[in-house]
Amino acid sequence: MSESLRVKTLDAEWFAGHLQDRSMRGIALETASMIRSGIIEIGTHLPAVRELAQALGVSPATVSAAWGQLRRQKVIAGRGRNGVWVCGDTLSPRPARFEKIGNFGDHIIADLALSSPDPALLPDLRAALQAGVSAENLNSYQREAIAPALLAAVKPSWPYEAGAFMAADGGFDGMNLTLQTLLMQGSVVAIEDPTATRLLDMLDNLGAQVLPVKCDEFGPIPESLQMALAKKPSAFIYQPRTHSHCGHALNAERYAVLAEILSTSNTLIIEDDGIGQLSREKPISMGSVLPLRTIHVRSYSKAYGPDLRLAVISSSEDLIKQIKSFRNFGAGWSSRILQQALAYLINDEKTQQGIEHARQVYAQRRKAMSDALKIRGVTIPHRDGLSMLIPVPSEQFALVTLAARGIAVLPGERSRVGPGQFIRISTSQLKTEQIDVIADAIVLALG
């Protein structure tokens, strides 16, 4: 055995002799076990699918499905003529795109990679947390979908009359719960391109076949959505208000066109309102016209604080019931203390004035960067949000050029499905004295 293991490409007969369970699950689990124990080393090429299938006496589809499971866990890589090889021995699924954000080193003077709120513009939580301990059913193990106080607080600003609501531990938790519950492994999914990095990680984890839907200043382009729907995706995911990367938002005309297109399909509509109350746009949802298959997820982290870790999901009673049931594998419900605290903040006049002030400050910072670039011959539209997408001839050149000047940004490859080269810079925590330095560096990064 030791002689065989020194060979970089495993022999199919040797491999088949070490696999006892020849089901898809068994092949994946036993291969993973050999990789984890070091019997199969990182860098080893695995036998060709057809060759191994013949040695095992199973169909090539069974081997391909097993490799797909290991590929989703980032244990193996490659496909087709180049073959498949072992690329890692950490077998738990992980958000590869998101994990690459950060850790740029001590020389970075401006970290613009993560689009997060300015802590100085978040509300004071002391009174809210004090109010939180007055929540009903505190410390009960009753699995309550959403606290009554929070439901009453969010309903007045909700974009449609939803059949049911539930709380989640932040926007991405809400999106992950929705995707894990309602989509099968390998589902075809249409999504805006570009989109949030973490959404693509979630879809990778599901082994989804992702269909990009192009966008313009008013959101998803109707013709692109029609092309995607022709392939009968299980779901269409988009951001109805301010887009986290591009800053665009649906207008009334585009909303009506997209609603008509979506009405001709059976596709689930999953809405990610990630900016939430920091958006200058009014709430909007396809739930107004297609309530039975629209899932609307609104995050409250950006406006009220990431440590509140809360979002609210709405949909039909049937879909919310399914998501609630899946959640019972884990926590089952969100902290009543935090839900009560958020309800307090939503109803607090001083907090709402602070959020309006934050919206104005974020808009000023984004505009200041846009104006600085325009002076230098780079025109970026004045849009909403906490970040700015900048097309570049080469992402790699832009990243190296900016990093050499102590500036970290998000490369477009982390958040796009289709072609195109761009970087995303966060504008939410820009310091006035840094703007000219950053604008000069961006001009250089454009080549």
Side-chain angles (χ1 to χ4, degrees), residues 317-356:
E317 288 188 11
D318 177 60
L319 293 180
I320 290 295
K321 182 179 179 180
Q322 291 180 52
I323 298 170
K324 283 168 53 184
S325 294
F326 178 82
R327 199 185 192 198
N328 286 335
F329 280 115
W333 74 94
S334 294
S335 164
R336 294 183 179 90
I337 293 174
L338 297 182
Q339 290 189 66
Q340 185 78 20
L342 177 57
Y344 172 92
L345 293 170
I346 292 172
N347 293 320
D348 180 58
E349 184 177 351
K350 183 178 178 181
T351 299
Q352 295 309 306
Q353 290 172 352
I355 289 175
E356 175 57 34

